[in-house]
């Protein structure tokens, strides 16, 4: 079908612009399962996504979209790059979510034509809705949604819909009681076994 793609979840992990690399056995399976549950939850709450159905342990069928070369980031709690950028201590809770858009590609001339003002307004509103849904979803699992990165795409009818993946590779998730990090920071900062963290996230989702 020309209007569909298969997304295959690999085990590769990278950090610091590809400087740090590893293959982490079964990471792709965990991310596919976690992303599937999240896309289904968002769909039930009227968020349009590219997700059609799960195909296998590592594959999902999605709607074909043209990915907007933008990384849309929301931060509820200070962590990662924002701490370095503005000298904040990790863990500071923001009064309101911080919304950031960054260009995936440094070519500014290209970037400037990426989205219209109206599309940007839609992206912001849709992203803040997604943040509220994800925050509430994770809180029920005793997880704090610290921040996340999402990507959008344009379908054949020109609708902008959520694409890519939503997983512990792209979200920071901390246990509510202990602040234990269960996301990709385990790999980025050598904090502990990554698969253990992702497995804990998935098992909380399945036991809900
Ligand atoms: P940052 O604090 O490094 O800017 O990351 C913000 C969020 O975006 C965090 O949840 C991790 C996620 N992220 C990605 O999904 N891909 C990336 O390449 C980077 C740098 C961050
Ligand atoms: N995947 C990204 C990279 O290789 C970074 C990250 O997720 O931290 O730079």
């Amino acid at each position: 079908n020309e209007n569909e793609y298969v997304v295959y979840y690999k085990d590769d992990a990278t950090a610091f612009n590809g400087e740090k690399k590893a293959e982490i056995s079964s990471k792709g399976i965990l991310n596919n399962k976690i992303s599937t549950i999240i896309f289904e939850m968002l769909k039930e709450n009227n968020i349009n996504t590219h997700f059609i159905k799960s195909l296998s342990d590592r594959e999902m069928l999605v709607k074909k979209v043209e990915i907007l070369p933008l990384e849309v980031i929301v931060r509820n709690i200070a962590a990662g790059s924002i701490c370095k950028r503005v000298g904040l201590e990790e863990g500071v809770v923001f009064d309101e979510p911080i919304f950031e858009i960054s260009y995936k590609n440094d070519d500014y001339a290209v970037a400037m034509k990426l989205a219209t003002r109206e599309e940007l307004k839609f992206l912001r509103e849709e992203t803040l809705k997604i943040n509220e849904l994800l925050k509430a979803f994770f809180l029920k699992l005793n997880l704090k949604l610290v921040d996340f990165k999402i990507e959008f795409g344009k379908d054949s009818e020109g609708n902008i819909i959520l694409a890519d993946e939503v997983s512990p590779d792209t979200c920071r998730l901390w246990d509510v009681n202990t602040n234990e990090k269960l996301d990709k920071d385990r790999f980025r900062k050598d904090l502990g076994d990554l698969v253990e963290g992702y497995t804990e996230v998935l098992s909380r989702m399945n036991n809900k």
Side-chain angles (χ1 to χ4, degrees):
N1 185 327
E2 278 189 358
N3 290 313
E4 295 173 356
Y5 280 146
V6 174
V7 174
Y8 182 91
Y9 285 76
K10 300 189 292 180
D11 284 339
D12 300 6
T14 61
F16 313 116
N17 264 325
E19 256 175 63
K20 183 171 178 172
K21 278 188 211 157
E23 202 179 297
I24 302 172
S25 179
S26 87
K27 178 173 85 83
I29 298 173
L30 290 160
N31 278 348
N32 183 32
K33 291 185 175 164
I34 292 169
S35 269
T36 294
I37 296 171
I38 291 175
F39 282 134
E40 283 171 344
M41 181 280 289
L42 291 173
K43 186 178 177 185
E44 278 166 26
N45 287 282
N46 301 317
I47 300 292
N48 278 326
T49 80
H50 71 160
F51 178 80
I52 299 172
K53 65 175 181 183
S54 173
L55 294 176
S56 71
D57 264 4
R58 288 184 185 274
E59 293 164 313
M60 57 169 65
L61 189 69
V62 303
K63 243 187 178 181
K64 181 176 168 178
V65 294
E66 199 73 46
I67 292 282
L68 304 181
L70 298 170
E71 302 201 322
V72 180
I73 294 169
V74 173
R75 300 177 190 276
N76 297 306
I77 299 174
S81 66
I82 200 168
C83 294
K84 289 200 198 104
R85 238 184 302 145
V86 298
L88 265 178
E89 205 175 308
E90 180 180 89
V92 173
V93 178
F94 300 124
D95 288 344
E96 282 179 32
I98 294 178
F99 177 81
E100 292 173 12
I101 290 190
S102 62
Y103 303 117
K104 288 179 84 167
N105 152 343
D106 293 339
D107 191 339
Y108 217 66
V110 177
M112 294 306 279
K113 287 190 221 138
L114 287 183
T116 64
R117 206 166 275 277
E118 244 169 61
E119 286 170 344
L120 281 177
K121 184 167 177 265
F122 172 80
L123 281 181
R124 184 170 195 277
E125 285 167 2
E126 193 74 349
T127 298
L128 292 176
K129 255 191 237 168
I130 292 168
N131 182 43
E132 290 311 311
L133 292 167
L134 290 177
K135 252 196 327 193
F137 174 80
F138 283 118
L139 200 56
K140 279 192 215 144
L141 311 180
N142 220 29
L143 292 170
K144 292 186 213 177
L145 177 62
V146 173
D147 57 29
F148 61 92
K149 183 269 302 176
I150 49 179
E151 295 182 23
F152 289 87
K154 231 181 231 187
D155 70 12
S156 56
E157 285 135 37
N159 302 307
I160 293 180
I161 62 179
L162 182 64
D164 195 49
E165 65 174 318
V166 182
S167 74
D169 269 12
T170 61
C171 302
R172 287 195 171 92
L173 299 166
W174 297 354
D175 180 79
V176 166
N177 304 321
T178 63
N179 278 335
E180 186 189 2
K181 294 172 174 144
L182 297 171
D183 55 72
K184 194 176 162 192
D185 273 347
R186 293 169 86 93
F187 167 73
R188 293 189 190 99
K189 299 161 99 181
D190 296 315
L191 300 176
D193 188 76
L194 178 137
V195 166
E196 226 169 76
Y198 289 25
T199 301
E200 174 63 23
V201 172
L202 180 61
S203 80
R204 290 189 196 191
M205 287 175 159
N206 285 331
N207 294 330
K208 145 179 88 102

